[in-house]
Amino acid sequence: MTATLIWILVALVAIGLYLSWTAGRLDRLHARIDAARAALDAQLLRRASVAQELATSGVLDPAASIVLYEAAHAARQAEEEQREVAESELSQALRAVFEESQQVEAVREAPGGEEAARELTEAVRRVPMARRFHNDAVRAARALRRHRKVRWFRLAGHAPFPMAFEMDDEAPVALADRAA
């Protein structure tokens, strides 16, 4: 009788430790998502800021400046529910404005344009990487949260189900060529 109780107690302790380890792993994944989201937000804000500065600098033609400024402003002011759409529209505006390499060359030839073109190229290049890191963390947390043990024992607590950030983040060809 005592041996049976000891074995049951050992099994319960082992199960408890395993569940505790799984809950800790899930917590670390949620922390990784939060950090990746903060990095993604910073990169999106940087891209919108650089695009807005470039649009107001006077080196672009007036039509391109207006298109780029409005898209960047909308991306910076977008509510969370509309953020993916606004950021996708900024990507489309960047591709429209910098479709031709002559536009990038015109920016580079202007005073301070070399620095502006470099900053924009870096910002446009970093957004897809930050989004990929965020979405990879979301994918890992979702996979763990789908396990029965996580659902049955409610190991996720009250944490919201992680959502991926889906947007059009394709870089303008002229800027992508410049980065290579």
Side-chain angles (χ1 to χ4, degrees):
M1 176 78 172
T2 305
T4 304
L5 287 175
I6 291 174
W7 282 111
I8 290 173
L9 185 62
V10 168
L12 287 175
V13 167
I15 290 170
L17 286 173
Y18 178 70
L19 291 175
S20 175
W21 175 80
T22 303
R25 181 172 167 225
L26 190 57
D27 186 52
R28 287 188 302 275
L29 282 172
H30 281 279
R32 189 172 129 203
I33 289 170
D34 291 343
R37 181 58 189 240
L40 175 61
D41 287 342
Q43 292 305 323
L44 291 172
L45 181 63
R46 181 172 182 245
R47 180 181 76 154
S49 297
V50 170
Q52 213 168 16
E53 284 178 24
L54 192 59
T56 58
S57 68
V59 294
L60 299 174
D61 63 88
S65 292
I66 290 171
V67 167
L68 195 56
Y69 181 83
E70 287 180 354
H73 181 72
R76 290 183 73 173
Q77 300 299 319
E79 296 292 325
E80 192 60 36
E81 302 84 36
Q82 298 298 319
R83 184 99 188 264
E84 294 173 351
V85 173
E87 294 294 347
S88 293
E89 289 173 355
L90 177 56
S91 295
Q92 293 165 1
L94 285 166
R95 281 197 307 272
V97 170
F98 294 105
E99 182 176 22
E100 304 288 328
S101 60
Q102 294 94 346
Q103 189 74 352
V104 177
E105 293 305 318
V107 169
R108 289 178 64 206
E109 291 170 2
E114 182 66 38
E115 179 69 20
R118 186 184 59 73
E119 282 185 37
L120 184 62
T121 301
E122 288 177 7
V124 166
R125 183 179 50 85
R126 289 180 179 167
V127 166
M129 289 188 299
R131 189 175 75 85
R132 194 172 316 122
F133 289 142
H134 175 267
N135 288 350
D136 286 346
V138 166
R139 197 172 304 114
R142 282 180 162 185
L144 185 58
R145 286 182 70 152
R146 285 191 186 106
H147 290 167
R148 276 183 247 148
K149 66 180 175 252
V150 173
R151 289 191 319 255
W152 289 350
F153 293 102
R154 298 188 178 147
L155 299 180
H158 297 288
F161 195 73
M163 301 301 290
F165 194 87
E166 297 301 331
M167 64 171 272
D168 174 6
D169 60 5
E170 185 179 337
V173 175
L175 290 176
D177 289 344
R178 182 156 158 49

